Amino acid sequence: NTDKLAIFTNTGQMHLVTKDAIHSLREGDCAFFFPNRIHGYRTEEKSEGILLIVNPELVPGYQEEFR
């Protein structure tokens, strides 16, 4: 499966937690990550996000970024 995941922050602030780091996302931010790697989400206050499943073949300009 070549699909990747993306989280888009609608409102508030959330943290994407990976094995190596914690990435802070604010309203309007989007982060891409690999679904087969350990990850989680954390928020200290109310926030809303949209989880997207992305096929890199549909965004040819970014295919190298997803490798």
Side-chain angles (χ1 to χ4, degrees):
N1 187 352
T2 60
D3 291 344
K4 307 298 182 255
L5 297 177
I7 184 78
F8 176 80
T9 309
N10 271 357
T11 61
Q13 180 175 344
M14 63 178 64
H15 306 285
L16 170 61
V17 182
T18 64
K19 177 182 173 187
D20 302 319
I22 298 173
H23 308 275
S24 295
L25 304 172
R26 297 176 190 205
E27 187 172 320
D29 287 346
C30 184
F32 292 90
F33 52 99
F34 296 92
N36 59 341
R37 297 199 181 148
I38 297 172
H39 63 276
Y41 315 96
R42 188 175 72 204
T43 185
E44 291 158 16
E45 294 182 18
K46 184 177 179 187
S47 64
E48 287 184 20
I50 299 172
L51 183 62
L52 305 164
I53 299 172
V54 179
N55 181 335
E57 294 175 8
L58 299 177
V59 276
Y62 289 94
Q63 284 184 357
E64 287 299 315
E65 301 292 327
F66 288 114
R67 293 182 195 263

